[in-house]
Amino acid sequence: AKKQTTLKYFFKKS
Amino acid sequence: MFEARLAQSAILKKVLEAVKDLLTEATFECSDSGIQVQAMDNAHVSLVSLNLRSDGFDKYRCDRNLSMGMNIGTMTKILRCASSEDTVTLRAWDNPDNIIFIFESQNKEKLSEYEMKLINMDQEHLGIPETVYSCVVKMPSQEFARICKDLSQFGEAITIACSKEGIKFTAAGDYGNANIKLAQTAEADKEEEAVIIDMQEPVKLTFACRYLNSFVKATPLCAQVKLSMSGDVPLVCEYQIGDIGHIRYYLAPKIDD
């Protein structure tokens, strides 16, 4: 099964 | 004062239809250079980045930078009240509580004004790193919409595999599976019908159908869609908006548990 990632995992808060 | 006018409301109507599934509210950042929106869906899985350049408007004036929080549902309802051929003007004063939408019919005999309350929003800006993508695919936007719709019947996710040979979309579910392969077009009569693959390295990524099916609501904006992918980073799905700007959707991939 695959897990849904979120964008916060890839993009940092600016 | 802020004032932005488009000769035809059709573009703005299409933009709202293209974001309303993903966003309930968003901050519109208005400056001399134009209007920008960056907002994530509630689950933080996708992000909409909209850019409308000031020089693409028929009239544009922005005396000072404004951040206007707008309810997308209300804005969509208001835009639906405009005919596609109506001129649309957005107007707000400095430190505004409201924004005014003015629609004028082509024969100038009907003038409609809608005032919408602005909302205070906690802004959460994400820094999107500059990325060199392993695969960049340009293809007809209608074809992409069709593939997402067709494959959604078979599973919750679509795996996109891109190689030199072409791009392959796969969906697998309890009742069966499906895959669609598109080869790079050898010779396209029309540029907008072409499938063009720019590949540095092959890529295989899996994405939730429900977000892809929201992205393809932007199909009426542009005949071509650009998909940018690299291993284990979010997909970028981009539609040009005439000569005025673009809408980019970012989508976090599904990864092995």
Coordinates of all heavy atoms in Angstrom, one line a residue, chain B residues 5 7 27 33 58 63-64 76 104 129 155 158 169 180 189 202 227 248:
Chain B
R5 N -9.0 45.4 -14.7 CA -10.1 45.2 -15.7 C -9.7 44.2 -16.8 O -8.6 44.3 -17.3 CB -10.5 46.5 -16.3 CG -11.8 46.3 -17.1 CD -12.4 47.7 -17.5 NE -11.6 48.3 -18.6 CZ -11.6 49.6 -18.9 NH1 -12.4 50.4 -18.2 NH2 -10.9 50.0 -19.9
A7 N -11.3 42.6 -20.4 CA -12.3 42.9 -21.4 C -13.4 41.8 -21.5 O -14.5 42.0 -21.8 CB -11.7 43.1 -22.8
T27 N -5.8 33.8 -0.3 CA -5.4 35.2 -0.2 C -4.9 35.7 -1.6 O -4.0 35.0 -2.2 CB -4.2 35.4 0.8 OG1 -4.7 35.0 2.1 CG2 -3.8 36.9 0.9
S33 N 3.0 44.3 -10.0 CA 3.3 43.3 -11.1 C 2.1 42.4 -11.4 O 2.2 41.7 -12.4 CB 4.5 42.4 -10.6 OG 4.3 41.8 -9.4
D58 N -6.5 44.7 -19.2 CA -6.8 45.8 -20.1 C -6.6 47.1 -19.3 O -6.3 48.1 -19.9 CB -8.2 45.7 -20.6 CG -8.3 44.4 -21.4 OD1 -7.8 44.4 -22.5 OD2 -8.9 43.4 -20.9
D63 N -2.0 50.9 -6.3 CA -1.2 52.0 -5.6 C -0.4 51.5 -4.5 O 0.7 51.9 -4.3 CB -2.2 53.1 -5.1 CG -2.9 53.8 -6.2 OD1 -2.5 53.6 -7.4 OD2 -3.9 54.4 -6.0
R64 N -0.9 50.5 -3.8 CA -0.1 49.9 -2.7 C -0.4 48.4 -2.6 O -1.5 48.0 -3.0 CB -0.3 50.5 -1.4 CG -1.7 50.4 -0.9 CD -1.8 50.6 0.6 NE -1.7 52.1 0.9 CZ -1.8 52.5 2.2 NH1 -2.0 51.6 3.2 NH2 -1.8 53.8 2.5
T76 N -16.8 32.4 -6.7 CA -17.3 31.6 -7.8 C -18.8 31.9 -8.2 O -19.1 32.1 -9.3 CB -17.2 30.1 -7.5 OG1 -15.8 29.8 -7.1 CG2 -17.6 29.2 -8.7
E104 N -19.9 44.6 -17.0 CA -20.6 45.4 -17.9 C -20.8 44.7 -19.2 O -19.8 44.1 -19.7 CB -19.7 46.7 -18.2 CG -20.5 47.7 -19.0 CD -19.6 49.0 -19.1 OE1 -18.4 49.0 -19.1 OE2 -20.3 50.1 -19.3
P129 N 11.0 24.9 -3.6 CA 12.4 24.9 -4.1 C 12.5 24.9 -5.6 O 11.6 24.3 -6.3 CB 13.0 23.7 -3.5 CG 11.9 22.8 -3.1 CD 10.6 23.7 -2.9
G155 N -9.3 2.8 -9.9 CA -8.5 2.8 -8.6 C -8.5 4.2 -8.1 O -8.9 5.2 -8.8
I158 N -3.3 7.0 -9.7 CA -2.8 6.8 -11.0 C -1.3 6.8 -10.9 O -0.7 7.8 -10.3 CB -3.3 7.9 -12.0 CG1 -4.8 7.8 -12.2 CG2 -2.6 7.8 -13.3 CD1 -5.4 8.8 -13.1
F169 N 0.2 5.8 -18.1 CA -0.7 6.1 -17.0 C -1.3 4.7 -16.6 O -1.9 4.0 -17.5 CB -1.8 7.0 -17.3 CG -1.3 8.4 -17.8 CD1 -1.0 8.6 -19.2 CD2 -1.2 9.5 -17.0 CE1 -0.5 9.8 -19.6 CE2 -0.7 10.7 -17.4 CZ -0.4 10.9 -18.7
I180 N -2.8 3.3 -20.0 CA -2.8 4.0 -21.2 C -1.4 4.6 -21.5 O -0.8 5.2 -20.7 CB -3.8 5.2 -21.1 CG1 -5.2 4.7 -20.8 CG2 -3.8 6.1 -22.4 CD1 -6.2 5.8 -20.4
D189 N 0.3 17.9 -36.7 CA -0.2 19.0 -37.6 C -0.3 20.3 -36.8 O 0.0 21.3 -37.3 CB -1.5 18.6 -38.3 CG -1.2 17.5 -39.3 OD1 -0.1 17.3 -39.7 OD2 -2.2 16.8 -39.7
P202 N 14.3 8.5 -16.5 CA 12.9 8.0 -16.4 C 12.4 8.2 -15.0 O 13.1 8.2 -14.0 CB 13.0 6.5 -16.6 CG 14.4 6.2 -17.0 CD 15.3 7.4 -16.7
L227 N 3.3 18.7 -17.6 CA 3.5 17.9 -16.4 C 5.0 17.8 -16.1 O 5.8 17.4 -17.0 CB 3.0 16.5 -16.6 CG 1.5 16.4 -17.0 CD1 1.1 14.9 -17.3 CD2 0.6 17.0 -15.9
R248 N -0.5 26.9 -11.7 CA 0.3 25.6 -11.5 C -0.3 24.9 -10.3 O -0.6 25.5 -9.3 CB 1.7 26.0 -11.1 CG 2.5 26.4 -12.3 CD 4.0 26.6 -11.9 NE 4.7 27.2 -13.0 CZ 5.5 28.2 -12.8 NH1 5.9 28.7 -11.6 NH2 6.1 28.8 -13.9

